[in-house]
Amino acid sequence: MAVHVWIWLVFLPLTDAVWPLPQKITYSSHSYLVSPRLFRFQYARESASQPGCSVLDLAFVRYFRITFPGSSVTDSDQKYSPSHVDALQVITADSDCDGYPILESSEDYMLEINEGISTLSADTVWGALRGLETFSQLVYRTDDGSYYINKSSIVDFPRFHHRGLLLDTSRHYLPLKAIFETLDAMAYNKFNVFHWHIVDDPSFPYESYTFPDLSRKGAYHPQTHVYTFHDVMKVIEYGRLWGIRVIPEFDTPGHTASWGKGQPDLLTPCYRKTEPSGKYGPVNPIMNSTYSFMTQIFKEVSTVFPDSFIHLGGDEVDFTCWKSNPDIQNFMKQQGFGTDYRKLESFYIEKLLDIVSRYGKNYIVWQEVFDNKVKVKPDTVIHVWKGTSSQYNVSLANITGAGLKALLSAPWYLNVISYGQDWRNAYEVEPIHFNGTAKQKKLVIGGEACMWGEYVDTTNLTPRLWPRAGAVAERLWSHASVRNVSDAYIRLSEFRCQLLRRGIRAQPLFTGYCDHEYERD
């Protein structure tokens, strides 16, 4: 499944559509009964994955419950249709059931729905997970309580490898239950990256075993509002079982006020004229102790988080405090930086990138690192978050023109809300609509929806995210030609009802109702 050239052809009743829309789907009006009493997921004899595969064994259990929620179908269900789908057999070419998904992991799958035994084929267990999600959405329940699925043929794969969602757990602490629920909904939408913006200025909830004072003194509460080592392991494993990578972000040198509470001398003392003001600014980039600390903390982070990428931030560095500090002024003169504090920022970032590289990690940074001309390694990923469409398209053109990979988030800040159907704005974005060569556009590896936490906690996280984030999910998964907003509205409204049936408190797109409302048993 390495090369894909398809004629876009869809025969699909909108009310039964899959979200996000597959690359190629042929859908028949011929239906088969699917009896929860008889149906089973099973491994095909020729599958590389077999019973004992943790990812698929658990997925079979989950998806049976998702596909047949609270069912109590009796023998009488068989009289409604002589044709049945009694099993979905899964075939994978790769048996890596205990590993972690990576950027290059195949998520391709083929799904054939036929009478008797249907077949799901995939290169990897991660592709099989995506196919199981599609299968679960194809099964529908009639008014008499019976379950059916239509004869179908699907060939599917993602348009972009990196399809992420950022959660901010510093500005408001999100308990594990909220994170797990978000990972569930991400999998239903075929997102595959959880960007965990775990710490920031307001609080440091990550409980470091190397520097325990960071959370003891920097978290909102050192017992109730922290993520222990075991908590982090639970999130990583939960994500793995859904085929979701967990990429942590430890943003420096700015956004570090909470770091300084538990790590003396890390932050820059600010001055008022010739005297310290008592306030502190970004990380102090001229101290050897700073780099000793960063070496140790990122050694720990690299050990705890198995993904090959770490997000290192690098955005919104306020130079005011650096400019006020006489020691930094003298350092600037010694280094020949003049009064260009972007050079000082570059000095720090380059040292940090060298540190992280020692641990075999790749890194993602916010676009200021590129804008400020920091020397980065060729495999660096630049995360674009600033500007209008014309501005971020220029940024994408410049970044990819320099031969660097890019991620797009600028148009997908879902924490920003407005009256009306603002999901449409997210849906109409085209990630590679910039002036550049085909080679440049291949360097855009995907994008992320962002949910920053200034005004978001567990009370409004889920309805603010869903189904709006689904607009981003389809843009990053489906073919570029899938752009009809009217069609998407009908399908997304139906998918929103599916989310409600699965216990996700997704807000309505507009007026109307779902057969199963969230509060109904």
Side-chain angles (χ1 to χ4, degrees):
M1 299 185 191
V3 178
H4 312 284
V5 180
W6 302 109
I7 297 174
W8 184 247
L9 182 62
V10 178
F11 303 99
L12 187 63
L14 293 176
T15 54
D16 296 319
V18 177
W19 191 277
L21 194 66
Q23 299 290 338
K24 183 182 181 182
I25 178 167
T26 304
Y27 193 89
S28 168
S29 60
H30 188 77
S31 62
Y32 305 119
L33 182 71
V34 190
S35 168
R37 187 175 55 81
L38 301 174
F39 178 84
R40 64 195 180 277
F41 294 107
Q42 63 187 38
Y43 295 93
R45 183 176 299 174
E46 65 270 32
S47 175
S49 301
Q50 292 292 328
C53 174
S54 59
V55 172
L56 292 183
D57 286 352
L58 292 169
F60 291 169
V61 175
R62 284 198 312 268
Y63 273 108
F64 191 93
R65 184 175 63 250
I66 289 170
T67 306
F68 309 108
S71 60
S72 57
V73 180
T74 65
D75 288 345
S76 63
D77 62 14
Q78 298 184 46
K79 71 182 182 182
Y80 293 107
S81 173
S83 301
H84 294 251
V85 171
D86 297 324
L88 178 68
Q89 66 174 3
V90 177
I91 306 170
T92 63
D94 190 313
S95 62
D96 185 17
C97 297
D98 299 318
Y100 294 89
I102 61 175
L103 175 64
E104 297 82 9
S105 291
S106 169
E107 296 172 282
D108 304 23
Y109 68 91
M110 293 187 293
L111 184 61
E112 295 289 338
I113 305 299
N114 295 303
E115 183 178 0
I117 296 178
S118 296
T119 303
L120 168 61
S121 303
D123 290 338
T124 66
V125 294
W126 319 120
L129 289 175
R130 306 303 171 230
L132 288 170
E133 175 58 38
T134 295
F135 177 84
S136 73
Q137 293 185 31
L138 289 172
V139 175
Y140 58 93
R141 193 173 189 177
T142 56
D143 291 340
D144 66 4
S146 300
Y147 291 91
Y148 289 87
I149 191 169
N150 285 42
K151 181 178 177 62
S152 310
S153 178
I154 294 173
V155 179
D156 201 11
F157 51 88
R159 184 182 176 201
F160 294 98
H161 285 295
H162 186 120
R163 307 178 309 282
L165 175 64
L166 176 151
L167 287 188
D168 171 8
T169 58
S170 173
R171 292 172 175 87
H172 283 99
Y173 176 83
L174 298 175
L176 291 185
K177 181 180 179 182
I179 294 175
F180 293 157
E181 182 180 276
T182 302
L183 290 167
D184 290 345
M186 287 174 64
Y188 303 154
N189 285 266
K190 296 187 173 74
F191 281 109
N192 68 348
V193 175
F194 171 38
H195 175 172
W196 194 352
H197 189 86
I198 193 166
V199 299
D200 206 297
D201 281 329
S203 72
F204 197 103
Y206 171 77
E207 190 175 79
S208 167
Y209 55 76
T210 308
F211 299 98
D213 277 351
L214 288 171
S215 60
R216 286 176 187 167
K217 298 180 180 180
Y220 286 134
H221 191 286
Q223 279 82 44
T224 60
H225 285 61
V226 296
Y227 302 105
T228 67
F229 172 79
H230 295 292
D231 291 337
V232 172
M233 291 297 99
K234 288 177 183 177
V235 171
I236 292 170
E237 178 63 6
Y238 199 97
R240 185 185 80 88
L241 294 174
W242 278 119
I244 295 173
R245 301 160 57 204
V246 178
I247 298 179
E249 180 180 355
F250 287 82
D251 188 1
T252 67
H255 293 281
T256 48
S258 65
W259 300 49
K261 296 176 182 178
Q263 184 62 23
D265 302 323
L266 178 64
L267 303 184
T268 304
C270 305
Y271 276 69
R272 183 182 297 111
K273 295 184 179 179
T274 59
E275 297 295 329
S277 67
K279 296 182 179 180
Y280 293 86
V283 165
N284 192 331
I286 70 171
M287 303 285 288
N288 290 334
S289 59
T290 292
Y291 301 103
S292 175
F293 167 80
M294 293 299 171
T295 298
Q296 294 178 74
I297 189 67
F298 279 104
K299 179 180 180 180
E300 174 185 325
V301 169
S302 299
T303 302
V304 170
F305 291 90
D307 198 85
S308 61
F309 281 88
I310 300 175
H311 202 303
L312 298 176
D315 64 317
E316 296 183 317
V317 182
D318 186 349
F319 298 148
T320 305
C321 187
W322 281 353
K323 291 178 179 179
S324 75
N325 186 292
D327 293 329
I328 288 183
Q329 292 170 9
N330 290 334
F331 183 83
M332 294 280 287
K333 293 177 183 176
Q334 293 169 9
Q335 296 294 321
F337 293 163
T339 58
D340 187 352
Y341 285 84
R342 292 178 303 174
K343 293 181 178 179
L344 181 60
E345 179 187 15
S346 297
F347 175 86
Y348 168 81
I349 293 289
E350 287 174 21
K351 281 184 170 289
L352 181 65
L353 299 185
D354 286 341
I355 288 169
V356 173
S357 295
R358 295 175 200 167
Y359 304 116
K361 294 291 187 179
N362 300 316
Y363 36 76
I364 304 169
V365 291
W366 294 110
Q367 72 179 83
E368 286 95 327
V369 173
F370 176 82
D371 293 342
N372 291 341
K373 297 180 172 55
V374 177
K375 184 180 178 181
V376 297
K377 289 181 170 58
D379 57 355
T380 303
V381 178
I382 308 297
H383 199 161
V384 176
W385 71 276
K386 299 174 73 173
T388 62
S389 59
S390 60
Q391 292 169 325
Y392 65 69
N393 280 324
V394 170
S395 294
L396 289 170
N398 291 337
I399 291 163
T400 58
L404 298 172
K405 295 184 178 71
L407 286 172
L408 180 63
S409 282
W412 293 324
Y413 271 40
L414 299 183
N415 51 293
V416 179
I417 58 175
S418 60
Y419 191 79
Q421 298 188 48
D422 58 355
W423 69 272
R424 294 170 179 256
N425 299 330
Y427 190 79
E428 291 175 336
V429 171
E430 173 45 57
I432 57 173
H433 185 62
F434 61 87
N435 292 326
T437 65
K439 183 179 179 180
Q440 282 181 253
K441 294 184 179 185
K442 288 181 180 179
L443 290 171
V444 179
I445 61 173
E448 294 184 356
C450 297
M451 183 56 70
W452 297 101
E454 288 89 346
Y455 304 99
V456 176
D457 65 5
T458 54
T459 65
N460 61 348
L461 171 67
T462 300
R464 188 170 291 198
L465 266 178
W466 311 108
R468 296 163 71 232
V472 183
E474 182 155 288
R475 181 56 53 238
L476 293 174
W477 179 280
S478 301
H479 192 276
S481 63
V482 180
R483 306 198 60 81
N484 188 304
V485 176
S486 298
D487 167 272
Y489 172 79
I490 298 171
R491 293 187 295 107
L492 188 56
S493 295
E494 170 62 23
F495 182 59
R496 181 252 174 178
C497 291
Q498 290 200 37
L499 293 177
L500 292 183
R501 285 193 293 273
R502 298 182 185 195
I504 303 298
R505 294 166 294 174
Q507 69 179 23
L509 273 70
F510 192 51
T511 57
Y513 79 103
C514 294
D515 290 336
H516 179 96
E517 303 290 359
Y518 180 77
E519 298 296 339
R520 186 184 301 168
D521 294 329

